[in-house]
């Protein structure tokens, strides 16, 4: 059961468990006499090394109800996604990109704004699939990147993915603005033409 106390949460964490197992190995080494007088440092060092290499805690990827591409369903799933993203540790650059994408999606999910099924599908796919997959892949890869140096930083991949998703959602915004401008122009022509009759 999860607890809100940070000390108890750490006691239950993977980092503490792996560190504890490594620390016990240090106790075994100390009992054999191989550590000599440095046995406290060996135990503490092995605990620290275990805690550092342990995989980080990951919040579970959200489960979305199959609502299709209805606006109310996408809005509910967006609220679920926000809860998940609040629990995930992200670098500041990725968090900024995610905040910009979040604000754009929130604006587009206002009732009555997006009526085109294709645009709503883009938003649904972004909320239910693309953003959770990008963030979850980052969280999983972040740990492995510590073990295998020399690979491209997972933060860079996440930032690039969020930039692409922002462009896709911004294209929906541009299409809506263009449709509104065209509608306004058509109505202006209609009114001007009506005045000539």
């Amino acid at each position: 059961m999860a607890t809100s106390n940070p000390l108890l949460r750490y006691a239950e964490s993977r980092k503490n468990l792996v560190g504890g197992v490594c620390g016990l190995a240090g106790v075994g080494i100390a009992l054999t006499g191989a550590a000599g007088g440095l046995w406290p440092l060996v135990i503490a060092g092995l605990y620290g090394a275990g805690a550092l290499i342990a995989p980080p805690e990951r919040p579970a990827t959200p489960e979305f109800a199959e609502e299709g591409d209805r606006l109310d369903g996408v809005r509910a799933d967006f609220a679920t996604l926000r809860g998940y993203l609040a629990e995930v540790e992200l670098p500041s650059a990725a968090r900024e990109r995610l905040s910009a994408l979040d604000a754009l999606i929130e604006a587009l999910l206002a009732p009555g704004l997006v009526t085109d099924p294709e645009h709503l599908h883009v938003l649904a796919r972004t909320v239910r699939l693309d953003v959770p997959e990008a963030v979850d892949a980052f969280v999983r890869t972040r740990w492995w990147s510590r073990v295998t140096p020399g690979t491209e930083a997972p933060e860079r991949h996440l930032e690039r993915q969020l930039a692409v998703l922002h462009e896709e959602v911004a294209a929906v915004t541009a299409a809506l603005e263009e449709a509104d401008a065209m509608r306004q122009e058509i109505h202006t022509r209609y009114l001007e033409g009506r005045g000539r009759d």
Side-chain angles (χ1 to χ4, degrees), residues 46-99:
L46 285 173
Y47 173 86
L52 284 175
I53 65 166
E57 299 294 324
R58 284 186 311 117
T61 307
E63 299 278 331
F64 298 114
E66 286 300 319
E67 293 284 341
D69 289 346
R70 290 187 7 239
L71 180 62
D72 291 340
V74 177
R75 291 179 76 191
D77 290 342
F78 182 55
T80 303
L81 175 65
R82 279 180 151 175
Y84 163 71
L85 294 174
E87 296 177 25
V88 177
E89 250 184 73
L90 295 174
S92 59
R95 183 62 73 183
E96 287 173 18
R97 286 191 184 271
L98 192 59
S99 295

Side-chain angles (χ1 to χ4, degrees), residues 50-182:
L52 284 175
I53 65 166
E57 299 294 324
R58 284 186 311 117
T61 307
E63 299 278 331
F64 298 114
E66 286 300 319
E67 293 284 341
D69 289 346
R70 290 187 7 239
L71 180 62
D72 291 340
V74 177
R75 291 179 76 191
D77 290 342
F78 182 55
T80 303
L81 175 65
R82 279 180 151 175
Y84 163 71
L85 294 174
E87 296 177 25
V88 177
E89 250 184 73
L90 295 174
S92 59
R95 183 62 73 183
E96 287 173 18
R97 286 191 184 271
L98 192 59
S99 295
L101 179 62
D102 179 89
L104 194 53
I105 292 172
E106 181 182 27
L108 288 170
L109 289 178
L113 187 59
V114 176
T115 54
D116 186 329
E118 189 175 319
H119 293 157
L120 194 54
H121 176 72
V122 169
L123 294 174
R125 184 184 63 212
T126 302
V127 167
R128 293 178 179 148
L129 179 66
D130 296 335
V131 171
E133 177 63 29
V135 171
D136 188 58
F138 164 74
V139 172
R140 289 173 189 265
T141 309
R142 179 178 57 179
W143 179 73
W144 287 108
S145 68
R146 281 193 250 160
V147 181
T148 54
T151 58
E152 187 174 357
E155 294 85 6
R156 301 295 161 254
H157 283 288
L158 178 61
E159 289 169 24
R160 287 169 45 201
Q161 291 165 4
L162 292 174
V164 169
L165 292 173
H166 191 275
E167 285 176 20
E168 284 184 3
V169 175
V172 172
T173 304
L176 290 175
E177 289 172 355
E178 186 179 330
D180 285 344
M182 186 178 293

